[in-house]
């Protein structure tokens, strides 16, 4: 093709036609043409909508700037995210079926931590934090479920939901992906998520993570067809199991 010639012809035609507003449409065919040329997409807010989100991204959309600034501060134990990874790794790997082989929970936890391949993780984990968890009602439920093979951990998921449900606006469907820390699988499900955030009040965690846990709950109910009966955040900083209303 002679692209320069085509371009020159197009420019010439455009000069002859002028703007669309100056065209005098006549007849039914021109009415159809006018309708098509003047069509406006009814959902402009969806044109640039991202269609794949992680649960963490959805969570950030619901948080304040103040929290985002505070979140990047380093704890005295080192990088906050690395510490969180360490705690999640031990909770993923802990062998509940072996717990009765030890004289007490502390000996069990210390041995479990020593088996982690990442030595930095071993340094970052306080065994007392894990022992405190095991002594809670939720921890005891985990021990029973672990022995019975009903404890599911690090469950990855992808689900499609309306953008409005995830972000408050838009009619398109978006994909949400994430990893559920743990849940107890039975006739009904008990869902739990671990948090290492350095907080002073339960309300801080509830405000930060309710959206995230509601998405986890929805994902499990969609994928299993079962009802999620209870949803918990376990805070290592507060040594507390927090039941959410989601």
């Amino acid at each position: 093709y002679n692209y320069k010639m085509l371009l020159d012809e197009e420019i010439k035609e455009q000069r002859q036609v002028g703007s669309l507003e100056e065209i005098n449409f006549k007849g039914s065919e021109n009415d159809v043409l006018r309708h098509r040329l003047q069509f406006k997409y009814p959902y402009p807010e969806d044109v640039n909508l991202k269609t794949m989100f992680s649960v963490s991204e959805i969570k950030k959309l619901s948080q304040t700037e103040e929290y985002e600034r505070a979140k990047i501060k380093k704890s005295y134990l080192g990088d906050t995210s690395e510490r969180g990874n360490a705690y999640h790794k031990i909770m993923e790997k802990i062998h509940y079926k072996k717990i009765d082989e030890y004289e007490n929970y502390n000996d069990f936890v210390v041995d479990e931590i020593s088996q982690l391949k990442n030595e930095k993780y071993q340094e970052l984990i306080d065994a007392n934090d894990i022992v405190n968890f095991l002594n809670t009602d939720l921890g005891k439920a985990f021990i029973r479920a672990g022995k019975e093979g009903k404890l599911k951990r690090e469950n990855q998921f992808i689900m499609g939901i309306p953008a409005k449900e995830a972000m408050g606006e838009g009619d398109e469907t978006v994909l949400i992906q994430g990893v559920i820390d743990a849940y107890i699988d039975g006739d009904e499900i008990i869902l739990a998520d671990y948090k290492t955030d350095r907080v002073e009040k339960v309300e801080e965690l509830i405000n930060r993570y309710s959206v995230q846990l509601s998405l986890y709950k929805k994902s499990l109910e969609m994928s299993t067809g079962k009802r999620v009966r209870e949803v918990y955040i376990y805070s290592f900083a507060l040594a507390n199991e927090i039941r959410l209303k989601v």
Side-chain angles (χ1 to χ4, degrees):
Y1 291 103
N2 187 331
Y3 291 103
K4 186 177 185 308
M5 182 180 70
L6 291 175
L7 179 60
D8 289 342
E9 289 179 356
E10 179 64 21
I11 292 173
K12 183 178 179 180
E13 289 181 9
Q14 290 296 327
R15 286 174 177 169
Q16 292 174 345
V17 172
S19 66
L20 287 175
E21 288 76 9
E22 295 173 350
I23 299 176
N24 182 19
F25 291 100
K26 293 181 180 180
S28 59
E29 291 184 359
N30 283 334
D31 287 340
V32 172
L33 177 60
R34 178 175 57 188
H35 175 73
R36 290 178 178 176
L37 291 175
Q38 294 178 345
F39 174 77
K40 292 183 179 180
Y41 185 58
Y43 308 106
E45 68 276 9
D46 293 337
V47 172
N48 297 314
L49 178 66
K50 182 179 176 181
T51 57
M52 173 72 84
F53 292 86
S54 69
V55 170
S56 296
E57 288 175 307
I58 297 296
K59 175 171 66 71
K60 287 178 182 178
L61 292 174
S62 68
Q63 292 172 339
T64 64
E65 266 186 46
E66 182 178 356
Y67 168 61
E68 286 301 309
R69 288 195 297 269
K71 188 181 66 171
I72 64 174
K73 294 181 179 179
K74 307 296 182 181
S75 72
Y76 70 89
L77 284 174
D79 183 79
T80 303
S81 62
E82 188 171 16
R83 179 172 178 270
N85 290 340
Y87 275 70
H88 278 80
K89 181 58 69 174
I90 187 61
M91 296 302 290
E92 175 191 356
K93 297 296 185 181
I94 195 167
H95 299 88
Y96 291 105
K97 291 183 178 180
K98 296 182 178 180
I99 197 168
D100 293 334
E101 300 175 9
Y102 296 80
E103 186 174 337
N104 54 60
Y105 285 171
N106 187 73
D107 290 347
F108 168 67
V109 171
V110 169
D111 191 35
E112 289 290 306
I113 293 173
S114 70
Q115 295 180 43
L116 294 177
K117 295 180 180 180
N118 189 318
E119 293 183 359
K120 181 64 174 178
Y121 284 2
Q122 295 180 27
E123 297 174 5
L124 290 171
I125 299 170
D126 185 340
N128 290 325
D129 289 340
I130 311 303
V131 171
N132 288 337
F133 168 76
L134 296 176
N135 281 315
T136 65
D137 290 340
L138 182 62
K140 293 173 183 176
F142 267 45
I143 293 172
R144 290 193 299 271
K147 291 178 179 179
E148 297 170 358
K150 295 181 178 179
L151 181 63
K152 311 299 181 182
R153 292 178 275 187
E154 296 298 306
N155 182 72
Q156 298 184 24
F157 72 88
I158 296 179
M159 67 174 176
I161 61 174
K164 186 175 295 184
E165 186 174 332
M167 296 167 289
E169 61 180 13
D171 294 315
E172 295 293 323
T173 296
V174 295
L175 294 178
I176 308 297
Q177 60 181 353
V179 180
I180 296 171
D181 286 346
Y183 67 94
I184 297 173
D185 192 12
D187 293 335
E188 296 181 317
I189 291 173
I190 297 175
L191 167 63
D193 199 67
Y194 322 119
K195 299 301 178 188
T196 56
D197 305 44
R198 298 264 175 205
V199 296
E200 297 180 357
K201 296 180 180 180
V202 166
E203 290 73 22
E204 293 180 68
L205 293 173
I206 294 175
N207 291 336
R208 290 179 194 176
Y209 297 109
S210 288
V211 171
Q212 176 182 350
L213 270 295
S214 66
L215 291 173
Y216 287 173
K217 175 177 180 287
K218 186 177 183 69
S219 168
L220 278 176
E221 291 181 334
M222 289 175 63
S223 62
T224 66
K226 298 179 181 180
R227 173 176 172 260
V228 175
R229 186 180 78 235
E230 299 171 19
V231 179
Y232 292 92
I233 289 175
Y234 182 78
S235 168
F236 287 107
L238 300 176
N240 191 10
E241 55 185 1
I242 306 161
R243 185 170 179 178
L244 301 184
K245 297 178 180 179
V246 296

